[in-house]
Amino acid sequence: MQTVGILTLQGDYDKHAQVLRKRNVDTRSVRYPDDLLNCDALIIPGGESTTMSKLMDHIGIRDEILTFAQTHPVMGTCAGMILMANRGGDSRVKPLGLLDITIVRNAYGRQVDSFVEEIEFKTQFGVEVIKGVFIRAPKIKSIGGNVEVLAELYNEPVFVRQGLHMATSFHPELSNSCAIHDLLISMIWEPVLAE
Ligand code: GLN
C-alpha cells in the first residue's frame, strides 16, 4: 500500500487525510525528519505559510524535505504552494524552491473575500471539474519554462506542475472531489513518466 505523508506542523492537514482515506491510501503525519521515512509522497497543506516556514526551521525538517523531494512527489495547497515556490517576496517565508514560480500572498483578498469557483483541468483520466475553494489564496505571478499550467482561473494559473511536484492556489481537500489527490497518487505509481 502507498503511504502519503502530510506535513502536520499547522493548517488543515486532517482534511487531506480524509480524502486519501477515501482512496484507501495510507497517511502518515510528518512533523519530524524521521517521519518522512517510508513515505511515497508528501502533501504540504494550506494554513499560514509564515508560521509553517518558521516551524520547519525550528524543528529542522527543511533539508529532509528537500532531499525527499528529489525522488518523491510533493503537492502543496494554498500556503503549501507558497512554501513550494521559488520566489514569494515576503521575508517571513523562506520557500523550499521546488517549483519555479513567483507567488504573491493573499492576492485574491482577505478571509472575507473567500470564494468558490469551478476549476477545470485535464489529466490522464480525462477532463475534471472541481470546486476550487479560495481562502486568502496566493496568486502565481510568473512561471518558469519548465512549469506546466494544469488549470487557470480568470486567465491566471491556479494549478501547476513541474516534474514530480505540483501545487494549487486553492484547497482541493475542501471540495468533494478526489481528482487532484488521484493525480498525486498516480505520480507515485509512475514516477519515471513524471520527468
Ligand atoms: N494566506 C495564507 C498564507 O499566506 C494562505 C492561506 C491558505 O492556506 N488558505 O500563508
Side-chain angles (χ1 to χ4, degrees):
M1 194 193 248
Q2 305 297 300
T3 302
V4 175
I6 306 171
L7 196 67
T8 52
L9 301 179
Q10 190 268 339
D12 79 330
Y13 44 81
D14 195 49
K15 291 282 176 196
H16 286 283
Q18 288 171 22
V19 178
L20 292 165
R21 264 181 238 126
K22 281 192 207 161
R23 288 305 197 230
N24 288 324
V25 168
D26 231 358
T27 62
R28 169 178 290 223
S29 158
V30 173
R31 208 163 274 182
Y32 300 102
D34 282 357
D35 296 334
L36 280 167
L37 298 173
N38 305 321
C39 287
D40 300 301
L42 176 69
I43 293 178
I44 306 180
E48 181 54 48
S49 55
T50 52
T51 307
M52 277 195 256
S53 179
K54 232 182 262 165
L55 286 172
M56 239 185 243
D57 290 321
H58 180 73
I59 289 166
I61 195 173
R62 178 181 294 273
D63 287 347
E64 281 75 8
I65 293 177
L66 290 173
T67 306
F68 180 84
Q70 286 172 13
T71 47
H72 299 82
V74 180
M75 174 169 90
T77 58
C78 204
M81 180 167 88
I82 297 169
L83 288 163
M84 287 178 70
N86 261 355
R87 301 162 293 272
D90 185 328
S91 58
R92 291 168 300 168
V93 181
K94 192 172 150 203
L96 292 160
L98 297 176
L99 293 169
D100 188 8
I101 56 177
T102 305
I103 286 296
V104 180
R105 293 183 58 221
N106 303 325
Y108 286 97
R110 300 161 53 154
Q111 189 86 11
V112 291
D113 303 311
S114 300
F115 62 96
V116 180
E117 276 287 357
E118 280 194 347
I119 304 291
E120 191 180 300
F121 63 97
K122 254 194 226 144
T123 71
Q124 66 266 45
F125 311 116
V127 177
E128 304 277 356
V129 181
I130 84 158
K131 225 171 49 174
V133 180
F134 291 76
I135 306 167
R136 293 190 305 125
K139 271 194 187 178
I140 301 173
K141 275 297 166 197
S142 69
I143 61 170
N146 291 328
V147 178
E148 191 185 350
V149 176
L150 298 181
E152 292 186 334
L153 178 68
Y154 315 141
N155 295 319
E156 290 178 309
V158 290
F159 180 22
V160 293
R161 174 164 65 181
Q162 181 177 4
L164 283 173
H165 310 313
M166 58 190 199
T168 60
S169 311
F170 53 93
H171 288 269
E173 75 285 5
L174 298 182
S175 74
N176 47 19
S177 161
C178 299
I180 288 184
H181 292 76
D182 284 346
L183 194 56
L184 178 72
I185 296 163
S186 77
M187 306 210 0
I188 299 172
W189 307 114
E190 304 177 273
V192 179
L193 297 180
E195 198 185 336

